[in-house]
Amino acid sequence: GVVDFVPGWFMQGHKRPEDKLYTSKAFRDERTATFLKAITPTEMLINAVTALIAPDLYDIGREAIERLKTGDHLQTKHSNVSLWPSVFSGIEVISNRITPNHRDCDGTFEGYDLLLSGGSHSHAEMFLADLGANLAYQPGTVVGLCGKLLRHEVADWKGGERVCYAHFMRDAVHSRLGVRRAKWVEENIYHKLMSTEFLARQRGY
C-alpha cells in the first residue's frame, strides 16, 4: 500500500497563511519513532545527495524543517517531530504498487523529488514520458527529478518485493513557514563538483 510520513502539512481545504499544520496520521503512530530511527542513517545519505545535486533546495529544506521543529506552526506538536531526519517535507512509502504516469502537483517546478528504490526485486525501470527516457531503477537506486515538471511512472517490476521511498517538499508548507522557493539548479554547480580543485579539497590534498 501507500503511507505518508509527514511532520507538518495542511489539512485538505485549509491552506490559508494563518492555518496551522498537522502531522500525518501515520506520523502519530506509536511505532513511527522506531521507524524514523531506523531510516536515519539512510536519510543522512539522501540529505547528502540533495546537498550535492541541489544545494539551494537542501538549504531551504533544512531551514523549513528547523522552523517546523520549533512547534510554533503546528496545531499539536508530536514528540516524533524532533526525530525527523530529512530535509524534505515528507516521505511517502509505496510498497508493491505500480506508479501510474503522473506529475507531483504540490511542489514547485524548480524543486526536486528524490525517489529511493528498495526491496528485493531484480528489475525495474522508471519511465519519463516527457523525455522518452527509461531509467534503471534497481534496489539502492536514487533518482532526483523535478516531479512537478516531468511525468514519471513505474509500470511494472520483476522478481521480489518493491518499495519506493518518495521524498517530497510541499510549496504551501514552505510558504506557511516563511521559507523562500529554491532556485533552478544550474549547470555550473556540476562543473564546480567536478573541478580538480574541489576534488582535491575533498580528498584533503
Side-chain angles (χ1 to χ4, degrees):
V2 178
V3 62
D4 292 301
F5 294 93
V6 185
W9 61 1
F10 287 104
M11 292 182 65
Q12 188 171 3
H14 295 79
K15 293 185 179 182
R16 299 173 302 174
E18 64 270 25
D19 288 333
K20 291 285 188 176
L21 303 174
Y22 291 77
T23 55
S24 64
K25 182 178 180 180
F27 203 85
R28 300 189 298 272
D29 190 283
E30 62 183 14
R31 296 164 292 182
T32 295
T34 301
F35 171 74
L36 293 177
K37 291 174 183 177
I39 67 171
T40 291
T42 300
E43 291 306 313
M44 294 300 99
L45 291 175
I46 294 294
N47 289 345
V49 170
T50 307
L52 285 172
I53 68 172
D56 193 48
L57 186 70
Y58 170 83
D59 288 340
I60 68 164
R62 183 176 63 176
E63 181 180 354
I65 296 302
E66 287 175 352
R67 294 187 183 189
L68 188 65
K69 285 184 175 181
T70 67
D72 296 339
H73 305 278
L74 292 170
Q75 180 66 29
T76 304
K77 184 177 180 181
H78 194 281
S79 58
N80 286 339
V81 173
S82 64
L83 300 176
W84 185 249
S86 177
V87 297
F88 285 85
S89 301
I91 300 172
E92 185 171 71
V93 182
I94 306 167
S95 177
N96 288 329
R97 294 185 65 174
I98 66 170
T99 304
N101 191 25
H102 72 288
R103 294 186 178 96
D104 301 323
C105 60
D106 292 322
T108 65
F109 289 109
E110 303 91 341
Y112 280 16
D113 299 328
L114 257 70
L115 310 176
L116 169 62
S117 178
S120 59
H121 62 281
S122 59
H123 180 79
E125 293 181 348
M126 177 180 292
F127 179 58
L128 305 180
D130 299 295
L131 303 179
N134 278 306
L135 308 180
Y137 202 44
Q138 311 301 82
T141 301
V142 176
V143 175
L145 80 160
C146 297
K148 187 171 183 176
L149 183 65
L150 298 175
R151 291 176 293 163
H152 48 286
E153 69 174 307
V154 179
D156 198 5
W157 69 93
K158 295 180 181 178
E161 310 283 335
R162 189 183 81 85
V163 181
C164 171
Y165 289 80
H167 298 70
F168 56 84
M169 294 189 185
R170 290 290 182 254
D171 187 40
V173 171
H174 280 191
S175 295
R176 177 64 177 82
L177 296 170
V179 177
R180 63 176 176 82
R181 285 189 175 185
K183 301 174 183 176
W184 285 101
V185 174
E186 297 180 351
E187 187 178 1
N188 59 19
I189 292 174
Y190 300 110
H191 290 166
K192 178 181 177 181
L193 288 175
M194 296 307 296
S195 70
T196 303
E197 181 182 358
F198 178 86
L199 293 175
R201 287 203 306 270
Q202 295 300 104
R203 294 167 182 163
Y205 295 159

